[in-house]
Amino acid sequence: MTVRQDVHSSGIPVLCQSCEARHRGVCGALDPDQLVGLAKTSSRHSVEPGVELIGDAETIDSYSNVLSGVVKLTKSLSDGRQQIVGLQFAPDFLGRPFKAESEINAEAATAVSLCSFPKTAIERMMKESPELEHRLLRQTLNELDEARDWMVTLGRKTASEKVASFLLMIAMNIDPAVDLAANSATFELPLTRADIADFLGLTIETVSRQLTRLRTDGVIRIENNRHVTVDSLSRLEQRSGA
Amino acid sequence: MTVRQDVHSSGIPVLCQSCEARHRGVCGALDPDQLVGLAKTSSRHSVEPGVELIGDAETIDSYSNVLSGVVKLTKSLSDGRQQIVGLQFAPDFLGRPFKAESEINAEAATAVSLCSFPKTAIERMMKESPELEHRLLRQTLNELDEARDWMVTLGRKTASEKVASFLLMIAMNIDPAVDLAANSATFELPLTRADIADFLGLTIETVSRQLTRLRTDGVIRIENNRHVTVDSLSRLEQRSGA
DNA sequence: CCGAGTCCTTGATCTTCGTCAAAGCGACTG
DNA sequence: CAGTCGCTTTGACGAAGATCAAGGACTCGG
């Protein structure tokens, strides 16, 4: 693995090219000496869709940055009902500090590449570097905001509003430069219908029906079940209930 | 206001008696000098149920510790549908660091007493004291866990499971010593039926019907609409879908 | 090219929960 | 004490979404 110790736009050195890509990377908080130490213990992986990254009640012994792809965080009830409680895009952080066990499953929703560090390395560094902990706090606060936004969607929106909200959310996360003025966007859906259902608290059939309706109403087009073109972001937004 | 600079069980000095009460207080992170500085700018308030503490899109200029009572955090859709996205019990922290505006409403659900600090004071101290930021990170991670637990409830549980889960959650938060072995608990509901509905993504009527069913099934008793006695915590848990 | 497997769509029916309406129950007021 | 107000309960009905069932579209391996 090549370690690039160049400089983030903020002036903070970064560990690897991918980590500087967007706003939530964690590596950027470390100073050069720490980076060299961390680089020795870090490793890059690529995993296929469907691979479980962190198992429920498994011991967590590593943390990761998502470099590309989408990771779904799920929780399940004892009878198998499942809920996706978060989606991690690059360069989000994966792992729950200060807890030995995870109550959450993490699974690759698409092909995913990761940059992993042993838990001990990160935790030692967190003690030494307040800046790292600061970044982690910021990311955690962002995730909390997102979780609470989604609680409104889960608790108070109709099925069609849920699906519209979901498409809007994906469009913005896949391509941060989605322009409401341009009024159109195009992207690959990172989730299957079953995943979307688990994310929205619906069934596959309801998701499918709502997507069909958006299609026949001319708001979106879908090719190969995955490739989505939004022809009217504003109409999609109207339907999202915001 | 009297400043008690005595020592937390962890050996960390605390600002005021109430803040050391449970596990999530923030004051405990400060050293004595900082405490004296903070004490000068802090103030204690008591507010009546229904009082709005932080308005949506209002500027946040202070942070608070909840000393007693329950604060509900809500988000609303433009047409008035509302969702409670969190409940803060003592000694939780109130306020969103690193953001000028709140997208959230905070309202006293019961009589509440607070210990407030100006935003500037806390933010300055956060820069100086990594321990404070560390505490904040821990609380934020806990809140994130809670939010994600609740997403499962909102997305995947039935109305009766939701109500059972809610009662269980309240029982444990009001009285951390709730003993599953003892199998019974008693507490005052901090929320009205309307609030419970907004918390669970249901209607008042559905909440009422489910409570009635729990009552006629002998799982709980309710006096004066507020005072709840759980006669069988294990039966309540069975119905919570966990 | 065929057959199996996976994922998605569509239709018919059923259930749960929301909506609408009315009435009960305290608490407070004049 | 009657009257009002806020909160809750209960019932009748309807609608949104779940469930059940069937079939279509695409991929992969022979």
Side-chain angles (χ1 to χ4, degrees):
Chain A
M1 171 181 173
T2 314
V3 182
R4 279 189 54 202
Q5 290 188 25
D6 55 1
V7 172
H8 194 273
S9 53
S10 66
I12 303 170
V14 297
L15 179 61
C16 51
Q17 187 171 16
S18 312
C19 293
E20 67 179 316
R22 277 161 61 200
H23 56 296
R24 278 158 66 176
V26 165
C27 304
L30 303 172
D31 67 40
D33 284 351
Q34 290 177 313
L35 285 175
V36 173
L38 189 59
K40 286 184 189 139
T41 59
S42 72
S43 62
R44 262 173 118 142
H45 310 277
S46 290
V47 301
E48 293 299 295
V51 172
E52 188 173 80
L53 302 170
I54 305 176
D56 194 7
E58 258 176 42
T59 306
I60 309 170
D61 53 357
S62 71
Y63 295 131
S64 312
N65 264 337
V66 178
L67 301 183
S68 70
V70 178
V71 175
K72 53 182 185 179
L73 307 178
T74 68
K75 289 177 85 84
S76 299
L77 299 176
S78 47
D79 62 1
R81 283 174 288 176
Q82 201 175 54
Q83 176 70 43
I84 293 182
V85 297
L87 291 178
Q88 305 291 88
F89 298 82
D92 291 349
F93 187 73
L94 217 58
R96 170 64 163 88
F98 317 132
K99 272 206 170 170
E101 301 219 326
S102 171
E103 301 139 351
I104 268 182
N105 270 61
E107 186 184 322
T110 64
V112 167
S113 64
L114 295 171
C115 188
S116 304
F117 319 94
K119 190 182 164 106
T120 50
I122 282 280
E123 292 192 336
R124 178 165 30 80
M125 242 164 273
M126 213 144 56
K127 281 187 191 131
E128 294 165 9
S129 168
E131 174 66 15
L132 176 58
E133 197 154 35
H134 181 75
R135 291 231 173 179
L136 219 40
L137 175 57
R138 280 180 175 273
Q139 160 156 350
T140 306
L141 283 165
N142 279 332
E143 286 185 28
L144 183 57
D145 286 346
E146 283 167 18
R148 286 176 168 165
D149 279 343
W150 215 252
M151 288 174 75
V152 181
T153 300
L154 285 172
R156 288 304 186 197
K157 289 189 186 175
T158 64
S160 76
E161 288 169 338
K162 284 179 177 181
V163 171
S165 303
F166 170 76
L167 291 175
L168 227 36
M169 189 274 281
I170 294 294
M172 295 189 309
N173 271 285
I174 295 283
D175 177 6
V178 158
D179 194 349
L180 264 180
N183 207 21
S184 73
T186 179
F187 53 89
E188 301 295 312
L189 268 184
L191 302 186
T192 65
R193 303 293 186 271
D195 285 337
I196 299 174
D198 280 347
F199 194 54
L200 297 174
L202 300 171
T203 58
I204 304 181
E205 294 94 328
T206 301
V207 171
S208 180
R209 280 186 247 271
Q210 296 302 334
L211 286 173
T212 301
R213 202 148 75 85
L214 286 173
R215 223 178 322 111
T216 58
D217 289 357
V219 181
I220 60 173
R221 279 171 290 155
I222 305 183
E223 284 148 45
N224 295 326
N225 287 338
R226 287 266 172 177
H227 187 79
V228 177
T229 306
V230 182
D231 286 317
S232 171
L233 279 171
S234 59
R235 275 212 281 162
L236 194 58
E237 201 177 27
Q238 279 165 28
R239 292 173 185 235
S240 76
Chain B
M1 172 180 174
T2 314
V3 181
R4 279 189 53 203
Q5 291 187 25
D6 54 2
V7 171
H8 193 273
S9 53
S10 64
I12 303 169
V14 297
L15 179 62
C16 53
Q17 187 170 14
S18 313
C19 294
E20 68 178 316
R22 277 164 58 201
H23 56 296
R24 278 159 64 177
V26 166
C27 304
L30 302 172
D31 68 40
D33 285 351
Q34 291 177 313
L35 285 176
V36 174
L38 188 59
K40 286 184 188 138
T41 59
S42 73
S43 62
R44 261 172 117 140
H45 310 277
S46 290
V47 301
E48 293 300 294
V51 172
E52 188 173 80
L53 302 170
I54 305 176
D56 192 9
E58 257 177 44
T59 305
I60 310 170
D61 53 358
S62 72
Y63 296 132
S64 311
N65 266 336
V66 178
L67 302 183
S68 69
V70 179
V71 175
K72 54 182 184 178
L73 307 179
T74 67
K75 289 176 86 84
S76 298
L77 300 176
S78 48
D79 62 1
R81 282 174 288 176
Q82 200 173 55
Q83 176 69 43
I84 294 183
V85 297
L87 291 178
Q88 305 292 89
F89 298 82
D92 291 348
F93 187 71
L94 217 58
R96 170 63 163 89
F98 318 132
K99 270 206 173 171
E101 303 219 324
S102 169
E103 300 137 351
I104 269 183
N105 269 62
E107 186 184 323
T110 64
V112 167
S113 64
L114 295 171
C115 188
S116 304
F117 319 94
K119 189 183 166 105
T120 50
I122 282 281
E123 294 193 335
R124 179 165 31 78
M125 242 164 273
M126 214 146 54
K127 282 188 191 133
E128 294 164 9
S129 168
E131 175 66 15
L132 176 57
E133 197 154 35
H134 181 75
R135 291 232 174 176
L136 219 40
L137 175 57
R138 279 179 175 274
Q139 161 156 351
T140 307
L141 284 164
N142 279 331
E143 286 185 29
L144 184 57
D145 286 346
E146 285 168 17
R148 286 176 168 165
D149 280 343
W150 214 251
M151 288 174 75
V152 181
T153 301
L154 285 173
R156 289 302 185 197
K157 289 188 186 175
T158 64
S160 77
E161 289 170 338
K162 284 180 178 181
V163 171
S165 304
F166 170 76
L167 291 175
L168 227 37
M169 189 274 279
I170 294 295
M172 294 189 309
N173 271 285
I174 296 283
D175 177 6
V178 158
D179 194 349
L180 264 180
N183 207 21
S184 72
T186 179
F187 54 88
E188 301 296 312
L189 267 186
L191 302 186
T192 65
R193 303 292 185 272
D195 285 338
I196 299 173
D198 280 347
F199 195 54
L200 297 174
L202 299 172
T203 59
I204 304 180
E205 293 93 330
T206 300
V207 171
S208 179
R209 280 185 248 269
Q210 297 302 334
L211 286 174
T212 300
R213 201 147 76 85
L214 286 173
R215 220 176 327 108
T216 59
D217 290 357
V219 181
I220 60 173
R221 279 170 291 156
I222 305 183
E223 286 149 46
N224 296 327
N225 287 338
R226 288 268 173 175
H227 188 78
V228 177
T229 306
V230 182
D231 287 316
S232 171
L233 278 171
S234 59
R235 276 212 281 160
L236 194 57
E237 201 177 26
Q238 279 165 26
R239 293 173 184 234
S240 75

